[in-house]
Amino acid sequence: MASIGFIGLGNMGGPMASNLVSAGHALRVFDLSQEAVQRLVDAGATACAGPGEAADGVDMVITMLPAGRHVRELYLGEGGLLDKVAKGTLLIDCSTIDADTARAVAAEAENTGCPMIDAPVSGGVAGAEAGKLVFMVGGETGPVEQARPVLDVMGRAVFHAGPAGAGQVAKMCNNMLLAISMIGTSEAINLGVAEGLDPKALSDIMQQASGGNWVLNVYNPYPGVMDGTPASRGYTGGFGTALMLKDLGLAMDAALKDGKATPLGSTARNIYALHAAAGNGGKDFSSVIEFLQHGGGSSSQ
Ligand code: NAD
């Protein structure tokens, strides 16, 4: 069993850390939220007063933070993690951030003698709770293989995408495709309903026909069509519109830098930006179906 420092115990990090404790690993945890820390202490983890204390004497450190600036600050900021952590400690960042920041932090970690991998996840809060996340990992083979048994506790699949930053690139591409397919699927269902079809009947048909996709299989955006989806509980408890907008921003920044045409990704970003600006940033991203129903009107009412 490993000794693990875990920093960032939010919607995703909380259940991920909890699964590691349940599997018998010794966890030293830190979060800015005392409430989040307390939940893990109740589950059997040791509370720490700061990131350095969480990293003290552990085999590896896992971070699960909101965005690139938090990751950069935590690792590279004054008195940051890289100043405190012992040489040889494996560093695993599971946050979804831009690949350039992931590469820069990994290079600095390497300079201080700590192998680092980026390991963003797919599967949402439900996947984190069930230990069924998909990890997309970037880094050298040695550290990736060292991390694998621990990642396996939190996930159902671990893909080694390539060198440092490659996990973030895979995640960014996947989420751009997901955003586009959520909008496309929503448009098709809305149109069918407007033409008098039952949304469930139409979804069942498209699921088996050539329009079938992941959204239709497990994340139908129309309320009442599928049990257990955010759509069937008022678009709560899933993957927030604001987080999807962040991920589309990462994809568009990369597309601009690389000179790649991503017209559908760009349109998806506009749609999610307008949807978030109408007060829906905290709702699950499948609520974009409401934006499309109201033609961009105030769907939060
Ligand atoms: P969250 O906001 O619920 O949790 C982030 C946690 O980090 C918070 O508890 C916050 O207090 C803590 N934090 C921030 N700065 C900190 C610091 N300096 N030191 C210690 N703790 C700090 O976010 P989340 O939903 O858990 O998402 C985390 C990451 O996972 C994001 O990058 C997100 O894009 C990604 N992600 C989320 C989902 C999802 O469905 N929510 C799915 C896949 C990936």
Side-chain angles (χ1 to χ4, degrees), residues 7-14 30-33 36 51 64-67 70 73-74 94-97 120-126 133 171 175 219 238-240 243 246-247:
I7 301 166
L9 307 164
N11 290 329
M12 296 294 289
F30 174 67
D31 192 291
L32 298 177
S33 153
M64 190 50 159
L65 301 170
H70 305 96
E73 181 62 28
L74 186 96
C94 294
S95 327
T96 301
I97 65 171
V121 303
S122 173
V125 176
L133 294 169
K171 170 75 182 167
N175 275 24
Y219 218 99
F239 181 50
L243 283 177
K246 178 195 77 167
D247 291 358

Side-chain angles (χ1 to χ4, degrees), residues 21-87:
V21 174
S22 301
H25 295 292
L27 256 69
R28 298 174 64 78
V29 298
F30 174 67
D31 192 291
L32 298 177
S33 153
Q34 196 44 49
E35 242 178 273
V37 171
Q38 191 55 48
R39 274 195 292 273
L40 260 295
V41 168
D42 293 344
T46 303
C48 295
E53 201 178 306
D56 191 22
V58 298
D59 303 315
M60 60 186 77
V61 175
I62 300 176
T63 47
M64 190 50 159
L65 301 170
R69 67 178 190 282
H70 305 96
V71 173
R72 192 179 275 276
E73 181 62 28
L74 186 96
Y75 283 92
L76 307 183
E78 215 176 296
L81 207 51
L82 292 189
D83 288 341
K84 309 247 168 82
V85 72
K87 266 192 175 46

Side-chain angles (χ1 to χ4, degrees), residues 115-150:
M116 180 163 189
I117 62 174
D118 47 294
V121 303
S122 173
V125 176
E129 286 170 351
K132 293 199 168 151
L133 294 169
V134 173
F135 285 89
M136 307 167 207
V137 187
E140 300 290 326
T141 302
V144 171
E145 291 313 312
Q146 192 189 339
R148 194 180 285 275
V150 168

Side-chain angles (χ1 to χ4, degrees), residues 6-20:
F6 205 117
I7 301 166
L9 307 164
N11 290 329
M12 296 294 289
M16 288 164 72
S18 193
N19 284 334
L20 290 173

